Amino acid sequence: MGIRHRPVCGQRLIQAFIFGPFGAFTAELFPTRIRYTGASLVYQLSSTVGAGFTPMIVAALVLLGGGSLWLVGIVWAATFVIAALAMRNVKEGKDADLMAEQM
């Protein structure tokens, strides 16, 4: 395997770690009667908003940073911290009553 193929293989591995448990995680966020709709909306809206605007946001940050990527790194790190804090506040759903209206 050439050196040019390593980032592609690394990206596949990272995506597998992210999207593998994503279905189970998003399904636990919603009550049973709206679970599929809720998980689907979360996935579709996050991919549209997140991936759709990212190139424009990064281009603006690079321009704002004078051609340097340091500002992009700061925003990326802040986004990671916000996501980690949000993950800490999500309730565990393994013991939830599936017939209950609210989880």
Side-chain angles (χ1 to χ4, degrees):
M1 179 182 316
I3 189 79
R4 292 189 296 186
H5 297 299
R6 288 184 184 158
V8 173
C9 291
Q11 180 183 9
R12 288 180 183 170
L13 184 64
I14 291 169
Q15 284 182 340
F17 280 118
I18 293 171
F19 290 111
F22 186 74
F25 173 74
T26 55
E28 286 187 356
L29 295 175
F30 302 98
T32 305
R33 67 180 180 83
I34 61 167
R35 183 165 288 169
Y36 186 78
T37 303
S40 178
L41 281 173
V42 167
Y43 182 78
Q44 297 302 326
L45 289 175
S46 64
S47 64
T48 301
V49 173
F53 292 112
T54 300
M56 292 182 289
I57 293 169
V58 169
L61 290 172
V62 169
L63 285 175
L64 194 61
S68 177
L69 294 176
W70 66 269
L71 195 54
V72 175
I74 291 172
V75 171
W76 182 84
T79 303
F80 177 79
V81 169
I82 292 168
L85 291 173
M87 290 290 296
R88 287 190 58 157
N89 292 325
V90 174
K91 295 186 299 184
E92 175 61 54
K94 70 176 180 170
D95 298 325
D97 181 14
L98 295 179
M99 300 307 287
E101 275 298 310
Q102 298 293 327
M103 287 181 73

mmCIF file of all heavy atoms in Angstrom, residues 27 53 61 64 98:
data_model
loop_
_atom_site.group_PDB
_atom_site.id
_atom_site.type_symbol
_atom_site.label_atom_id
_atom_site.label_comp_id
_atom_site.label_asym_id
_atom_site.label_seq_id
_atom_site.Cartn_x
_atom_site.Cartn_y
_atom_site.Cartn_z
ATOM 1 N N ALA A 27 -31.146 6.033 18.247
ATOM 2 C CA ALA A 27 -32.408 5.346 18.524
ATOM 3 C C ALA A 27 -32.785 5.451 19.995
ATOM 4 O O ALA A 27 -33.967 5.557 20.333
ATOM 5 C CB ALA A 27 -32.304 3.883 18.119
ATOM 6 N N PHE A 53 -22.430 23.261 5.149
ATOM 7 C CA PHE A 53 -21.852 24.575 5.397
ATOM 8 C C PHE A 53 -20.375 24.530 5.795
ATOM 9 O O PHE A 53 -19.725 25.573 5.871
ATOM 10 C CB PHE A 53 -22.646 25.302 6.482
ATOM 11 C CG PHE A 53 -24.036 25.666 6.038
ATOM 12 C CD1 PHE A 53 -25.133 25.050 6.604
ATOM 13 C CD2 PHE A 53 -24.236 26.603 5.043
ATOM 14 C CE1 PHE A 53 -26.413 25.376 6.196
ATOM 15 C CE2 PHE A 53 -25.505 26.939 4.629
ATOM 16 C CZ PHE A 53 -26.606 26.318 5.203
ATOM 17 N N LEU A 61 -12.910 31.037 7.803
ATOM 18 C CA LEU A 61 -11.968 31.032 8.919
ATOM 19 C C LEU A 61 -10.522 31.144 8.434
ATOM 20 O O LEU A 61 -9.693 31.806 9.075
ATOM 21 C CB LEU A 61 -12.147 29.777 9.769
ATOM 22 C CG LEU A 61 -13.439 29.716 10.588
ATOM 23 C CD1 LEU A 61 -13.587 28.333 11.221
ATOM 24 C CD2 LEU A 61 -13.452 30.797 11.638
ATOM 25 N N LEU A 64 -10.068 34.718 7.472
ATOM 26 C CA LEU A 64 -10.007 35.516 8.694
ATOM 27 C C LEU A 64 -8.677 35.331 9.420
ATOM 28 O O LEU A 64 -8.150 36.258 10.020
ATOM 29 C CB LEU A 64 -11.166 35.139 9.617
ATOM 30 C CG LEU A 64 -11.473 36.063 10.776
ATOM 31 C CD1 LEU A 64 -11.860 37.447 10.272
ATOM 32 C CD2 LEU A 64 -12.587 35.484 11.617
ATOM 33 N N LEU A 98 -39.834 0.649 27.186
ATOM 34 C CA LEU A 98 -40.113 0.893 25.779
ATOM 35 C C LEU A 98 -41.561 1.262 25.513
ATOM 36 O O LEU A 98 -41.877 1.827 24.460
ATOM 37 C CB LEU A 98 -39.717 -0.323 24.947
ATOM 38 C CG LEU A 98 -38.232 -0.654 24.925
ATOM 39 C CD1 LEU A 98 -37.980 -1.887 24.093
ATOM 40 C CD2 LEU A 98 -37.427 0.507 24.417
#
